Amino acid sequence: VFDYANEGFHWLAIVTLLIFLFAVLVVLLNILIAQLSDTYAEVKNQAAFTLEGTWASTIRTIESTGKSKKRRKETYRPMELVHRPQDVLGSFTPPQVDDDHKAAERERKKL
């Protein structure tokens, strides 16, 4: 067994240990950042998907109520080609949000 304590190489062991610990720290921080980035991207995609589903459900609920359903049947013709949307939208009057909301609530209570 060799005893290197008196040889003067203890500084080399300390420097090697510090370099190793620094390298491990950098690698672990890199892994942490990668995990957080991946989780953020996944949550963002899920939020966009949920938003689109909620938006579609809200539109379906509003348009399936009595007043909006009647307006949709009067306004839209099946298979209508619109080449200039400005002509169609120029005569369009938006519905009252409060009336549609009340009608949607009544329909929801019926279910």
Side-chain angles (χ1 to χ4, degrees):
V1 177
F2 296 104
D3 184 18
Y4 291 107
N6 296 329
E7 299 276 335
F9 288 109
H10 64 284
W11 61 269
L12 183 61
I14 293 172
V15 170
T16 306
L17 178 65
L18 290 176
I19 291 172
F20 174 75
L21 290 177
F22 181 75
V24 168
L25 177 70
V26 169
V27 169
L28 289 177
L29 283 176
N30 193 10
I31 292 171
L32 176 66
I33 291 170
Q35 286 287 343
L36 292 176
S37 297
D38 186 47
T39 303
Y40 175 76
E42 188 176 319
V43 168
K44 188 175 178 182
N45 288 336
Q46 184 65 28
F49 180 73
T50 304
L51 175 68
E52 290 172 4
T54 305
W55 182 257
S57 174
T58 303
I59 290 173
R60 185 187 66 217
T61 302
I62 290 173
E63 287 193 353
S64 67
T65 59
K67 199 172 188 183
S68 294
K69 195 173 188 179
K70 180 181 173 191
R71 182 183 310 111
R72 188 176 66 233
K73 286 182 180 177
E74 292 172 353
T75 306
Y76 301 114
R77 294 182 294 274
M79 300 300 290
E80 178 183 7
L81 281 176
V82 177
H83 295 288
R84 290 185 40 114
Q86 299 86 357
D87 297 339
V88 176
L89 294 175
S91 62
F92 177 74
T93 56
Q96 293 293 327
V97 175
D98 294 335
D99 295 339
D100 286 340
H101 182 69
K102 290 175 186 175
E105 286 297 322
R106 283 194 300 273
E107 291 293 324
R108 195 173 303 135
K109 287 179 183 177
K110 288 180 185 177
L111 300 175

